[in-house]
Amino acid sequence: MAIDIDPGLSPYLQGNFAPVHDELDVADLEVTGRIPDALTGAYLRNGANQAFAPLGRYHLFDGDGMIHALYLDEGRARYRNRFVESTGLQVERRAGRALFGGLSEFVFPDQAVIDEAGIMKNTANTNVIRHAGRILALMEGAPPTELSRELETRGEWTFDGRLEGSMTAHPKWDPATGELLFFGYSPFAPFLRFHVADAAGVLTRSVEIDLPRAVMMHDFVATEHHVVFFDLPAIFDLDAMMSGGTSISWQPQHGARIGVLPRDGAGDDVTWFEMDPFFVFHFLNGWDDGDTVVVDGCRAPRMPTAFGDEVLTDPTPPTLHRWTIDLAAGTVTETQLDDRFGDFPRINPHRSGLTNRYGYIATGLNGSDSPEFTGVVKYDLETGATDVHQYGAQVEAGEAVFAPDPDGTAEDDGWLLNLVFDRVTATSELRIVDARDMEGDPVARVHLPRRVPFGFHGNWMPDQGY
Ligand SMILES: [Fe+2]
């Protein structure tokens, strides 16, 4: 039962990008193999799932947030999915139609809609994390949205009103202090703010950082002593967007910069390094080595997506690179670590900001403008060795999330969780792969009661532990 494709419709509204509209809760799912008992907790994954027919041209990043959850408990599995019931979506539900435009085609909502839900919808569609006991759905253009573990939307969470502006969908957890480090970017000055929430979830620090212009900054890096911002020429232009132009465009004439800020520094303590233009959506990790900061990430020669009329005729998908930033010498060395396509990088969260031996990166990118993957590469960054798990010839996968084995001691003691789609049977599964046995069969295939559309990011939230 393959899925039909409609050539007149956005590719991001059909096939396994097509949204699902029903909200299910199904327990005791069929499992092939055995879910490890140690995996007791919830795997939540977010993605764009447009509720109403879009008003204008649809971009993949525009859709309403929907969380797909797998609750695992001593070998049993339950599935549940819910829309993030954003204020904007609630207004649209009352109207029975879409009221907001998107990144590729802005639509000015009526004033009453703006008064209630803002000029753009906070879709909360990109990632879902847990910090200090709070589950937060994240979208980089807005504050977080708090959910219950059962995925009921509690509303926007602004850290008791302390958070000014937006919050990245890629905050960094510090395993030593329990802090959450993050940033927000804005089309209005200040274009960049850095924030720290302590282990109790209290926003304790906000620092404004000068940038010459507003840029789309999707991810950043936090080490034990530094945070690193990549100021790349994906220029965010709200005026152009509101007058019918392109919201985000690639402007390589502005070059690129890497900025390193001591974690306790002021906004003007950033050391900037000028670079030739390049683009990164996601970083694997970063760490300090004396006066040097080492950063690994998935580098593309340019922004590998288009928000306007531009057609990308020469796809240039990202590959794993390393930046070695020598603060004493004032130099940056850039090294390509692999020539395979790769993105959606993950590590053992206990190594976040510290040296990590292993990285897990989705591979098999099908074209440059689409997060469709067929496998995951395990990198041993000490030896340079790689192991690949391929999900199957007719199977497409998403981000592989590393869930540590609570009884393990080695960095790669754990499992990779991934929601995969079989395009021949049009069914979805949770695949659980032992990270110590990448080329082996999955230890468990959890058969889902419905097709789960491709999505973005998620996290493993164990009942015990971090
Ligand atoms: Fe992302």
Side-chain angles (χ1 to χ4, degrees):
M1 190 183 69
I3 291 180
D4 293 333
I5 299 294
D6 176 352
L9 189 65
S10 163
Y12 299 122
L13 291 170
Q14 50 183 324
N16 197 40
F17 287 103
V20 294
H21 297 286
D22 49 345
E23 298 181 314
L24 306 182
D25 192 334
V26 181
D28 294 320
L29 302 179
E30 183 192 342
V31 178
T32 302
R34 167 98 191 140
I35 300 170
D37 284 351
L39 283 178
T40 293
Y43 168 49
L44 271 53
R45 200 217 65 192
N46 205 343
N49 192 89
Q50 182 73 0
F52 292 100
L55 288 183
R57 188 165 42 179
Y58 181 76
H59 191 277
L60 176 61
F61 297 169
D62 291 340
D64 297 286
M66 178 178 274
I67 312 291
H68 300 267
L70 269 298
Y71 304 96
L72 307 181
D73 183 7
E74 296 189 344
R76 294 187 304 278
R78 173 168 68 97
Y79 167 82
R80 184 176 172 92
N81 72 301
R82 289 294 182 274
F83 277 99
V84 179
E85 293 292 336
S86 64
T87 307
L89 179 57
Q90 290 172 37
V91 176
E92 291 181 323
R93 288 200 192 286
R94 291 204 304 272
R97 64 186 182 89
L99 298 170
F100 298 86
L103 289 168
S104 287
E105 189 166 347
F106 178 75
V107 176
F108 225 108
D110 292 344
Q111 189 59 48
V113 174
I114 296 173
D115 290 345
E116 185 169 352
I119 200 164
M120 294 283 283
K121 187 166 34 173
N122 177 3
T123 59
N125 69 9
T126 312
N127 198 355
V128 56
I129 65 158
R130 182 177 66 185
H131 181 249
R134 254 176 234 281
I135 295 175
L136 303 176
L138 304 173
M139 185 274 272
E140 66 196 44
T145 299
E146 186 177 357
L147 310 175
S148 72
R149 189 175 185 272
E150 289 291 314
L151 313 182
E152 277 95 28
T153 300
R154 291 180 172 160
E156 286 190 353
W157 168 246
T158 57
F159 295 84
D160 285 323
R162 294 185 185 202
L163 176 65
E164 282 192 83
S166 62
M167 175 174 174
T168 175
H170 290 288
K172 299 293 181 267
W173 179 63
D174 183 327
T177 64
E179 291 169 303
L180 192 70
L181 293 87
F182 57 97
F183 67 93
Y185 72 84
S186 169
F188 309 104
F191 297 128
L192 182 63
R193 292 181 177 98
F194 165 59
H195 307 278
V196 180
D198 68 15
V202 176
L203 196 74
T204 53
R205 237 165 87 67
S206 293
V207 177
E208 295 182 0
I209 296 166
D210 277 338
L211 295 182
R213 56 191 68 80
V215 292
M216 178 184 70
M217 189 180 288
H218 186 69
D219 195 358
F220 83 133
V221 175
T223 69
E224 195 177 356
H225 301 296
H226 299 94
V227 285
V228 188
F229 302 102
F230 281 59
D231 176 14
L232 309 177
I235 307 299
F236 196 100
D237 189 336
L238 192 66
D239 290 338
M241 177 174 139
M242 290 173 67
S243 55
T246 300
S247 57
I248 302 161
S249 61
W250 181 245
Q251 298 182 26
Q253 69 274 18
H254 295 303
R257 302 188 309 158
I258 297 175
V260 181
L261 172 68
R263 269 170 58 164
D264 57 0
D268 55 5
D269 290 335
V270 181
T271 303
W272 291 103
F273 298 85
E274 303 283 336
M275 307 286 290
D276 290 333
F278 62 94
F279 190 76
V280 174
F281 267 119
H282 299 116
F283 297 100
L284 176 69
N285 193 28
W287 68 89
D288 297 309
D289 181 11
D291 286 331
T292 297
V293 181
V294 180
V295 172
D296 292 340
C298 299
R299 177 197 188 277
R302 55 152 294 146
M303 182 171 68
T305 186
F307 292 89
D309 293 328
E310 187 182 7
V311 175
L312 297 177
T313 55
D314 182 20
T316 47
T319 55
L320 182 61
H321 280 65
R322 171 166 293 179
W323 294 266
T324 304
I325 306 162
D326 188 329
L327 296 169
T331 58
V332 178
T333 308
E334 187 179 84
T335 311
Q336 186 169 4
L337 299 184
D338 196 6
D339 58 6
R340 269 173 287 201
F341 306 154
D343 207 341
F344 283 40
R346 299 299 298 248
I347 59 168
N348 183 327
H350 296 295
R351 302 309 301 168
S352 181
L354 306 169
T355 52
N356 62 298
R357 176 168 179 180
Y358 299 108
Y360 308 91
I361 302 186
T363 192
L365 200 61
N366 178 15
S368 69
D369 201 9
S370 164
E372 293 172 40
F373 307 105
T374 60
V376 56
V377 182
K378 176 187 181 183
Y379 288 88
D380 182 334
L381 297 165
E382 259 177 44
T383 67
T386 59
D387 281 309
V388 182
H389 183 85
Q390 285 291 354
Y391 290 100
Q394 64 196 48
V395 173
E396 293 171 10
E399 175 189 57
V401 170
F402 184 87
D405 181 348
D407 302 319
T409 52
E411 185 185 322
D412 62 345
D413 282 339
W415 297 274
L416 296 169
L417 311 182
N418 207 328
L419 288 172
V420 308
F421 172 68
D422 184 319
R423 62 176 171 268
V424 174
T425 61
T427 57
S428 300
E429 296 174 4
L430 171 70
R431 294 273 178 94
I432 303 176
V433 172
D434 191 325
R436 297 151 286 199
D437 181 23
M438 292 294 289
E439 285 164 25
D441 290 336
V443 296
R445 294 169 54 187
V446 182
H447 302 277
L448 300 181
R450 64 104 51 72
R451 179 177 69 79
V452 174
F454 295 127
F456 301 124
H457 306 287
N459 283 286
W460 171 243
M461 303 174 192
D463 286 353
Q464 305 286 329
Y466 68 94

